[in-house]
Amino acid sequence: MSYAARNGKIFHLWWHPHNFGRFTEQNLRQLDEICRHFSYLQRRYGYTSSFISEL
């Protein structure tokens, strides 16, 4: 995601709700880390989020 933000590329995060079924607490922490990093990239590089249908 960092590389994509710095270079005007797309990063595809593929994560479905059923991925949270096992190790839920660990997966939620990981998702929180991803969201925080995205927020940083958004502030730093103007990185944006899109739906796959928009691409």
Side-chain angles (χ1 to χ4, degrees):
M1 191 166 26
S2 295
Y3 176 86
R6 287 191 305 266
N7 294 282
K9 303 288 183 184
I10 295 171
F11 177 85
H12 182 193
L13 178 63
W14 187 277
W15 202 327
H16 291 273
H18 70 267
N19 295 122
F20 290 92
R22 294 186 64 183
F23 312 109
T24 305
E25 198 170 309
Q26 177 185 356
N27 287 327
L28 287 174
R29 278 194 309 269
Q30 187 178 36
L31 181 59
D32 183 62
E33 186 177 334
I34 291 168
C35 290
R36 288 174 188 267
H37 188 60
F38 172 80
S39 291
Y40 164 76
L41 296 173
Q42 194 173 36
R43 288 188 309 275
R44 177 84 163 90
Y45 300 103
Y47 203 46
T48 59
S49 176
S50 301
F51 291 105
I52 195 72
S53 61
E54 295 173 313
L55 302 173

